[in-house]
Amino acid sequence: MKVVEQFKRRILDLAIRGKLVPQDPNDEPASILLERIKAEKAKLVKASKIKKVKSPSEIVIGSDGAAYEKFGSGDLSHAEVRRRGVDVPFELPQGWVWARLDSLCHSIADGDHQAPPQEISGIPFLVISNISNGVLDFSNTRFVGEDYYKSLQTTRIPSEGDILVTVTGSYGIIVRVDTDRHFCFQRHIALLKCCANGSDYLFNALQSNIVKRYFDAIATGTAQKTVALNHLRNTLIPIPPAAEQKRIVAKVEELFSIVDSLGVAADNLESVAKRLDKKILDLAIRGKLVPQGPNDEPASELLKCIAASHKSPCKNQGEEPIAPPFEIPDSWEWVWLGVISCLISSKKNQILTKEIKQTGKWAVVSQGQNLVDGYSDSDEKVIQDVPIILFGDHTRNVKYLDFPFVVGADGTKLIQSFVDTKWLYYWVLYASSKIRDRGYARHWNELIHIPVPLPPLAEQKRIVAKIEELRAVIKSLTM
């Protein structure tokens, strides 16, 4: 499997474990959603649109903390027949439930087992090769006649929003039906007609590693392994509250979009993570990571406030006109670093290496390391006006410091921000990676000549929150 696909599966694994987006205690629990699904299916049974399940089940957590499956006929809450223990893959967050795939769908059926008469044209008849890339491909299909198509049971006629799952040979390929075009398919493919607008979350859950491992375990056969329909129907799916499902789907789409934009194969998951991290910073700096707020005070007003509060221009401010390297949103402004920050002296706060005492109470920071509790001789060299950005003049090491510290004597630079310090930290991190490596060249002198795309202050804070949210997900994916 490609490394990028492995990375995506890890994203989905976090999603179905409740670790991709935060839970909201105010969300209606998933058990209520399942009750609505049961009511929805009961109406369809009464209208003779689907068949009644002979022995429906639901999975509950007992007072002993173990999972049990209740079997019965009709309403399980009133007519329990038997109960047995069930092994669930992992513990779910509060408000989630386990459910069999069959209980989440109106129907699960494979294609017609009789070979259909082929036609030169007509209704497309899809085989596994037409969906092997994870999308519907009508470019080279077989065809069947209109009469054959109309003779099929409704459980075998795809509709927009349904899900296709390959069950023989290359089993486990999951495809969303994203068209209203008429087509049918061979018996090696199963059709899932989902309940209660749950196909988006279910589509993601079915592509997770937990489902893949289940398919691998139950597939039978030698020449062509097959996932039997009864096993497919019994697939265990972790179900979040409906509101959380929407948040999960949105987050997965957001992360997949960024991963897909990398466009380059990678050797390992760590490489994908590093590229993803750089891509997130690039999107943030270009105004493409979070939406602009129509009520945000524009960056031009922020610059007026900065000019009024900081009368003396920063040394090396940069007076030359800016040639914008790329387009930015209308509410943003191009500025030089010296307009929105100030380089403050670190020499008066520096200590020599021999002065460091590891049992001291003040952290010693430098280009290459942080020494916690390193210095204690005197408080007079301690910098307490934080947060501050530390920038190595001989390295690309950039740090955000929000604690009192003492500076090590190794050529560090300290940047005092006039805007959101954490946002400026991420810009310095981004810009320093663009500086050509010159060994012991003065990186600061190059940094101040890189134009800064400045967002409104409110958007700066949203950008920081989004970056840190996405970085936390990336970190968890490589652990």
Side-chain angles (χ1 to χ4, degrees), residues 215-256:
F215 286 170
D216 289 342
I218 53 89
T220 59
T222 52
Q224 279 194 321
K225 284 188 173 295
T226 297
V227 175
L229 278 187
N230 63 317
H231 290 313
L232 179 62
R233 294 185 178 112
N234 282 332
T235 306
L236 278 172
I237 304 292
I239 304 299
E244 188 172 349
Q245 288 187 30
K246 293 179 181 179
R247 296 196 298 272
I248 288 172
V249 169
K251 180 60 64 179
V252 167
E253 290 177 352
E254 178 184 42
L255 289 169
F256 276 19

Side-chain angles (χ1 to χ4, degrees), residues 170-207:
S170 300
Y171 61 83
I173 300 172
I174 315 297
V175 180
R176 189 198 308 269
V177 178
D178 57 0
T179 177
D180 58 2
R181 181 175 181 177
H182 290 176
F183 71 94
C184 51
F185 51 91
Q186 68 176 164
R187 64 185 179 90
H188 298 327
I189 300 172
L191 175 66
L192 280 56
K193 290 189 169 292
C194 306
C195 302
N197 299 318
S199 65
D200 289 340
Y201 171 78
L202 196 55
F203 174 71
N204 288 317
L206 287 170
Q207 296 179 82

Side-chain angles (χ1 to χ4, degrees), residues 3 74 122 165 190 203 268 317 406 428:
V3 174
V165 180
F203 174 71
N268 52 58
Q317 176 177 333
V406 178
V428 174

Side-chain angles (χ1 to χ4, degrees), residues 300-317:
S300 57
E301 293 300 315
L302 173 60
L303 291 176
K304 290 178 183 178
C305 293
I306 292 173
S309 302
H310 304 276
K311 298 296 184 182
S312 300
C314 176
K315 183 180 179 181
N316 295 326
Q317 176 177 333

Side-chain angles (χ1 to χ4, degrees), residues 337-363:
L337 180 59
V339 174
I340 59 172
S341 68
C342 186
L343 184 65
I344 61 178
S345 173
S346 62
K347 288 187 177 180
K348 66 181 182 181
N349 302 93
Q350 287 178 348
I351 62 171
L352 300 175
T353 304
K354 64 183 180 181
E355 294 178 295
I356 296 175
K357 296 182 179 180
Q358 296 295 334
T359 57
K361 66 177 182 178
W362 301 113

Side-chain angles (χ1 to χ4, degrees), residues 85-152:
V86 58
D87 290 329
V88 293
F90 48 82
E91 187 176 346
L92 295 177
Q94 190 71 27
W96 290 46
V97 293
W98 286 101
R100 300 289 184 186
L101 183 58
D102 194 36
S103 66
L104 303 171
C105 300
H106 294 154
S107 62
I108 298 176
D110 55 6
D112 191 353
H113 286 222
Q114 300 300 318
Q118 292 193 41
E119 303 287 347
I120 298 176
S121 62
I123 304 297
F125 179 82
L126 304 191
V127 297
I128 288 182
S129 61
N130 297 119
I131 63 173
S132 59
N133 289 326
V135 294
L136 297 176
D137 181 7
F138 293 98
S139 61
N140 184 25
T141 67
R142 306 174 189 177
F143 295 96
V144 297
E146 184 82 22
D147 290 341
Y148 171 81
Y149 174 77
K150 290 181 177 179
S151 71
L152 292 173

Side-chain angles (χ1 to χ4, degrees), residues 7 11 14 19-23 246-256 258 276-277 280-281 284 289-291 422 425-426 460-477:
F7 201 83
I11 292 173
L14 287 180
K19 297 180 179 180
L20 191 63
V21 301
Q23 279 75 52
K246 293 179 181 179
R247 296 196 298 272
I248 288 172
V249 169
K251 180 60 64 179
V252 167
E253 290 177 352
E254 178 184 42
L255 289 169
F256 276 19
I258 298 174
L276 190 55
D277 188 68
I280 288 168
L281 288 181
L289 190 62
V290 300
K422 185 59 77 71
Y425 159 75
Y426 284 121
Q460 290 175 36
K461 297 181 183 299
R462 294 198 300 274
I463 289 171
V464 167
K466 177 60 71 172
I467 289 174
E468 299 195 335
E469 173 194 326
L470 295 176
R471 280 187 139 198
V473 173
I474 293 170
K475 182 178 180 180
S476 63
L477 289 168

